[in-house]
Amino acid sequence: MQMDNGCHRCFLVASRMLVGSIVIGCIAAAVFSYYPNLDLVVAEKFHTSGRRFIGMDSLVLQSIRIAFNGLFIVVCAVAAVGSYYSRARGSWSGLIFCEWNFLLVCILAGPLVVTNLGFKDHWGRARPRDVLELGGKHGYTPPLRPAHECAKNCSFVSGEASSIFTIGFAATILFPLEAALLLPLSIAFGSLAGLVRMMEGGHFLSDVVFAGIFSANTTALVFFALKMFGCLRQNP
Protein backbone atom coordinates (compact mmCIF):
# COMPACT_ATOMS: atom_id res chain seq x y z
CA MET A 1 0.00 0.00 0.00
CA GLN A 2 1.41 3.37 -0.98
CA MET A 3 1.88 6.10 1.55
CA ASP A 4 0.04 9.41 1.06
CA ASN A 5 -1.94 11.97 3.05
CA GLY A 6 -4.85 9.55 3.17
CA CYS A 7 -2.85 6.59 4.42
CA HIS A 8 -4.68 6.09 7.67
CA ARG A 9 -3.03 2.73 8.30
CA CYS A 10 0.45 4.21 7.97
CA PHE A 11 -0.47 6.92 10.44
CA LEU A 12 -1.82 4.36 12.92
CA VAL A 13 1.26 2.18 12.66
CA ALA A 14 3.59 5.16 13.15
CA SER A 15 1.51 6.42 16.09
CA ARG A 16 1.54 3.05 17.81
CA MET A 17 5.26 2.71 17.16
CA LEU A 18 5.96 6.09 18.75
CA VAL A 19 3.76 5.52 21.79
CA GLY A 20 5.01 1.96 22.22
CA SER A 21 8.67 2.99 22.04
CA ILE A 22 8.10 5.74 24.61
CA VAL A 23 6.36 3.35 27.01
CA ILE A 24 8.99 0.64 26.57
CA GLY A 25 11.69 3.28 26.90
CA CYS A 26 10.31 4.41 30.26
CA ILE A 27 10.15 0.81 31.47
CA ALA A 28 13.70 0.11 30.27
CA ALA A 29 14.99 3.30 31.91
CA ALA A 30 13.36 2.28 35.20
CA VAL A 31 14.80 -1.25 35.05
CA PHE A 32 18.37 -0.18 34.22
CA SER A 33 18.21 2.63 36.80
CA TYR A 34 17.02 0.25 39.53
CA TYR A 35 19.60 -2.39 38.50
CA PRO A 36 22.58 -0.27 37.36
CA ASN A 37 24.88 -3.32 37.16
CA LEU A 38 22.49 -5.42 35.08
CA ASP A 39 24.61 -4.78 32.00
CA LEU A 40 27.69 -6.16 33.74
CA VAL A 41 25.84 -9.26 34.92
CA VAL A 42 24.74 -10.05 31.36
CA ALA A 43 28.11 -9.18 29.81
CA GLU A 44 29.87 -11.54 32.22
CA LYS A 45 27.95 -14.42 30.64
CA PHE A 46 29.83 -13.81 27.39
CA HIS A 47 33.19 -13.00 28.97
CA THR A 48 35.92 -15.64 29.08
CA SER A 49 39.22 -14.15 30.29
CA GLY A 50 41.16 -10.93 29.97
CA ARG A 51 39.48 -8.89 27.25
CA ARG A 52 38.22 -12.00 25.47
CA PHE A 53 34.57 -12.82 24.78
CA ILE A 54 33.04 -16.02 23.47
CA GLY A 55 32.03 -14.52 20.14
CA MET A 56 35.35 -13.01 19.13
CA ASP A 57 36.59 -16.09 17.25
CA SER A 58 33.26 -17.40 16.00
CA LEU A 59 33.06 -17.64 12.22
CA VAL A 60 29.30 -18.02 12.46
CA LEU A 61 28.88 -14.76 14.36
CA GLN A 62 31.33 -12.99 12.07
CA SER A 63 29.32 -14.18 9.08
CA ILE A 64 26.07 -12.96 10.61
CA ARG A 65 27.63 -9.58 11.34
CA ILE A 66 28.96 -9.28 7.78
CA ALA A 67 25.54 -10.23 6.42
CA PHE A 68 23.77 -7.55 8.49
CA ASN A 69 26.32 -4.90 7.51
CA GLY A 70 25.99 -5.92 3.88
CA LEU A 71 22.21 -5.73 4.10
CA PHE A 72 22.37 -2.20 5.47
CA ILE A 73 24.74 -1.06 2.72
CA VAL A 74 22.52 -2.59 0.05
CA VAL A 75 19.40 -0.94 1.49
CA CYS A 76 21.18 2.44 1.59
CA ALA A 77 22.21 2.07 -2.05
CA VAL A 78 18.77 0.88 -3.17
CA ALA A 79 17.06 3.71 -1.29
CA ALA A 80 19.30 6.29 -2.97
CA VAL A 81 18.72 4.76 -6.40
CA GLY A 82 15.00 4.48 -5.77
CA SER A 83 14.76 8.11 -4.71
CA TYR A 84 16.63 9.22 -7.83
CA TYR A 85 14.67 7.21 -10.38
CA SER A 86 11.25 7.61 -8.79
CA ARG A 87 11.64 11.40 -8.87
CA ALA A 88 11.62 11.33 -12.66
CA ARG A 89 9.40 8.30 -13.25
CA GLY A 90 6.88 8.75 -10.44
CA SER A 91 7.68 5.34 -8.97
CA TRP A 92 10.36 2.68 -8.99
CA SER A 93 10.14 -0.97 -7.91
CA GLY A 94 6.65 -0.45 -6.54
CA LEU A 95 7.40 2.57 -4.35
CA ILE A 96 6.77 6.21 -5.16
CA PHE A 97 9.22 9.08 -4.67
CA CYS A 98 8.00 10.09 -1.20
CA GLU A 99 8.28 6.52 0.06
CA TRP A 100 11.87 6.16 -1.09
CA ASN A 101 12.63 9.52 0.49
CA PHE A 102 11.05 8.39 3.75
CA LEU A 103 13.33 5.33 3.83
CA LEU A 104 16.37 7.45 2.95
CA VAL A 105 15.66 10.06 5.63
CA CYS A 106 15.10 7.32 8.23
CA ILE A 107 18.52 5.87 7.44
CA LEU A 108 20.17 9.27 7.70
CA ALA A 109 18.30 10.38 10.84
CA GLY A 110 18.46 7.12 12.79
CA PRO A 111 21.77 5.24 12.38
CA LEU A 112 23.78 8.25 11.23
CA VAL A 113 22.57 11.32 13.14
CA VAL A 114 20.90 10.03 16.31
CA THR A 115 23.00 6.92 16.89
CA ASN A 116 26.49 7.75 15.62
CA LEU A 117 26.81 11.52 15.58
CA GLY A 118 24.56 11.89 18.60
CA PHE A 119 25.01 9.18 21.19
CA LYS A 120 28.07 7.16 20.14
CA ASP A 121 30.32 10.19 19.68
CA HIS A 122 29.17 12.08 22.78
CA TRP A 123 27.88 9.71 25.48
CA GLY A 124 31.37 8.49 26.43
CA ARG A 125 30.45 5.00 27.60
CA ALA A 126 33.22 2.39 27.39
CA ARG A 127 32.51 -0.90 25.64
CA PRO A 128 32.32 -4.14 27.65
CA ARG A 129 35.75 -5.32 26.51
CA ASP A 130 37.23 -2.01 27.70
CA VAL A 131 35.87 -1.82 31.27
CA LEU A 132 37.91 -2.82 34.30
CA GLU A 133 35.43 -5.46 35.43
CA LEU A 134 35.86 -7.35 32.15
CA GLY A 135 39.59 -7.04 31.62
CA GLY A 136 39.82 -3.49 30.26
CA LYS A 137 41.19 -0.25 31.66
CA HIS A 138 38.17 2.04 31.75
CA GLY A 139 35.43 2.53 34.30
CA TYR A 140 31.97 1.05 33.88
CA THR A 141 29.04 3.48 33.73
CA PRO A 142 25.30 2.72 33.72
CA PRO A 143 23.58 3.31 30.37
CA LEU A 144 21.70 6.53 31.17
CA ARG A 145 24.66 8.33 32.71
CA PRO A 146 26.93 10.34 30.36
CA ALA A 147 30.60 9.60 30.95
CA HIS A 148 34.11 10.36 29.72
CA GLU A 149 35.47 6.81 29.47
CA CYS A 150 35.51 6.83 25.67
CA ALA A 151 36.28 9.61 23.20
CA LYS A 152 34.44 8.52 20.05
CA ASN A 153 32.46 5.62 18.56
CA CYS A 154 31.54 4.48 22.05
CA SER A 155 29.28 1.76 23.36
CA PHE A 156 25.94 3.55 23.83
CA VAL A 157 23.99 2.82 21.65
CA SER A 158 24.61 -0.07 19.25
CA GLY A 159 25.11 1.26 15.74
CA GLU A 160 24.72 -2.07 13.95
CA ALA A 161 21.56 -2.95 15.84
CA SER A 162 20.22 0.53 15.14
CA SER A 163 20.79 0.04 11.41
CA ILE A 164 18.76 -3.16 11.28
CA PHE A 165 16.04 -1.85 13.61
CA THR A 166 15.63 1.25 11.46
CA ILE A 167 15.29 -0.66 8.18
CA GLY A 168 12.67 -2.93 9.73
CA PHE A 169 10.69 -0.17 11.43
CA ALA A 170 10.65 1.92 8.24
CA ALA A 171 9.38 -1.09 6.29
CA THR A 172 6.71 -1.63 8.93
CA ILE A 173 5.35 1.88 8.32
CA LEU A 174 5.74 1.63 4.54
CA PHE A 175 3.74 -1.60 4.41
CA PRO A 176 1.12 -1.24 7.17
CA LEU A 177 -0.92 -4.23 6.00
CA GLU A 178 2.07 -6.45 6.85
CA ALA A 179 2.90 -4.63 10.10
CA ALA A 180 1.86 -7.58 12.26
CA LEU A 181 4.62 -9.62 10.59
CA LEU A 182 7.22 -6.94 9.89
CA LEU A 183 7.31 -5.45 13.40
CA PRO A 184 8.26 -8.66 15.26
CA LEU A 185 10.71 -9.54 12.48
CA SER A 186 12.30 -6.09 12.82
CA ILE A 187 12.67 -6.55 16.56
CA ALA A 188 14.03 -10.08 16.15
CA PHE A 189 16.65 -9.24 13.52
CA GLY A 190 17.69 -6.01 15.23
CA SER A 191 18.07 -7.89 18.51
CA LEU A 192 20.10 -10.60 16.78
CA ALA A 193 22.45 -7.99 15.33
CA GLY A 194 22.84 -6.58 18.83
CA LEU A 195 23.32 -10.00 20.41
CA VAL A 196 26.18 -10.75 18.03
CA ARG A 197 27.92 -7.57 19.17
CA MET A 198 27.25 -8.40 22.82
CA MET A 199 28.87 -11.81 22.39
CA GLU A 200 31.90 -10.10 20.86
CA GLY A 201 32.26 -7.71 23.79
CA GLY A 202 31.29 -4.72 21.67
CA HIS A 203 28.06 -3.76 23.41
CA PHE A 204 26.07 -4.07 26.62
CA LEU A 205 22.47 -5.26 26.74
CA SER A 206 21.17 -1.73 27.29
CA ASP A 207 23.05 -0.50 24.20
CA VAL A 208 20.90 -2.83 22.12
CA VAL A 209 17.65 -2.19 23.99
CA PHE A 210 17.91 1.58 23.65
CA ALA A 211 19.10 1.28 20.04
CA GLY A 212 15.75 -0.34 19.30
CA ILE A 213 13.81 2.23 21.30
CA PHE A 214 15.53 5.24 19.70
CA SER A 215 15.25 3.70 16.24
CA ALA A 216 11.52 3.19 16.68
CA ASN A 217 10.71 6.69 17.88
CA THR A 218 13.10 8.30 15.37
CA THR A 219 11.47 6.41 12.48
CA ALA A 220 7.99 7.38 13.66
CA LEU A 221 9.01 11.02 14.15
CA VAL A 222 10.50 11.13 10.66
CA PHE A 223 7.14 9.96 9.30
CA PHE A 224 5.24 12.66 11.19
CA ALA A 225 7.78 15.35 10.26
CA LEU A 226 7.61 14.54 6.55
CA LYS A 227 3.84 14.38 6.71
CA MET A 228 3.65 17.72 8.52
CA PHE A 229 5.77 19.43 5.88
CA GLY A 230 3.74 17.90 3.05
CA CYS A 231 6.45 15.52 1.87
CA LEU A 232 4.25 12.44 1.98
CA ARG A 233 1.86 13.21 -0.84
CA GLN A 234 1.24 10.62 -3.46
CA ASN A 235 2.56 11.60 -6.85
CA PRO A 236 -0.11 12.26 -9.51
Side-chain angles (χ1 to χ4, degrees), residues 58-188:
S58 171
L59 291 178
V60 173
L61 294 184
Q62 290 176 14
S63 299
I64 294 174
R65 186 182 179 189
I66 291 172
F68 279 134
N69 289 336
L71 172 64
F72 181 68
I73 293 172
V74 169
V75 171
C76 289
V78 171
V81 172
S83 180
Y84 175 79
Y85 279 107
S86 62
R87 183 177 182 85
R89 302 177 182 179
S91 67
W92 186 74
S93 295
L95 296 179
I96 60 176
F97 177 64
C98 67
E99 295 171 329
W100 285 116
N101 273 359
F102 168 68
L103 178 57
L104 201 56
V105 173
C106 284
I107 291 172
L108 293 173
L112 178 61
V113 177
V114 174
T115 298
N116 283 287
L117 297 180
F119 284 104
K120 293 181 73 66
D121 285 352
H122 295 90
W123 207 252
R125 189 188 200 193
R127 296 179 183 272
R129 60 175 177 260
D130 295 326
V131 300
L132 288 168
E133 293 84 347
L134 300 173
K137 297 180 179 179
H138 297 277
Y140 166 78
T141 49
L144 300 179
R145 185 185 304 167
H148 300 283
E149 299 295 334
C150 168
K152 195 173 183 180
N153 191 28
C154 305
S155 189
F156 190 82
V157 292
S158 172
E160 292 178 31
S162 174
S163 300
I164 303 304
F165 279 128
T166 296
I167 292 173
F169 292 150
T172 301
I173 294 177
L174 278 172
F175 304 101
L177 293 178
E178 288 77 36
L181 173 63
L182 290 175
L183 183 58
L185 283 178
S186 304
I187 296 172

Side-chain angles (χ1 to χ4, degrees), residues 32-63:
F32 284 103
S33 295
Y34 190 77
Y35 300 103
N37 291 327
L38 178 59
D39 273 333
L40 278 177
V41 173
V42 175
E44 285 172 353
K45 305 297 181 183
F46 305 124
H47 181 244
T48 54
S49 61
R51 298 182 65 204
R52 305 296 300 173
F53 285 76
I54 60 175
M56 285 183 167
D57 300 317
S58 171
L59 291 178
V60 173
L61 294 184
Q62 290 176 14
S63 299

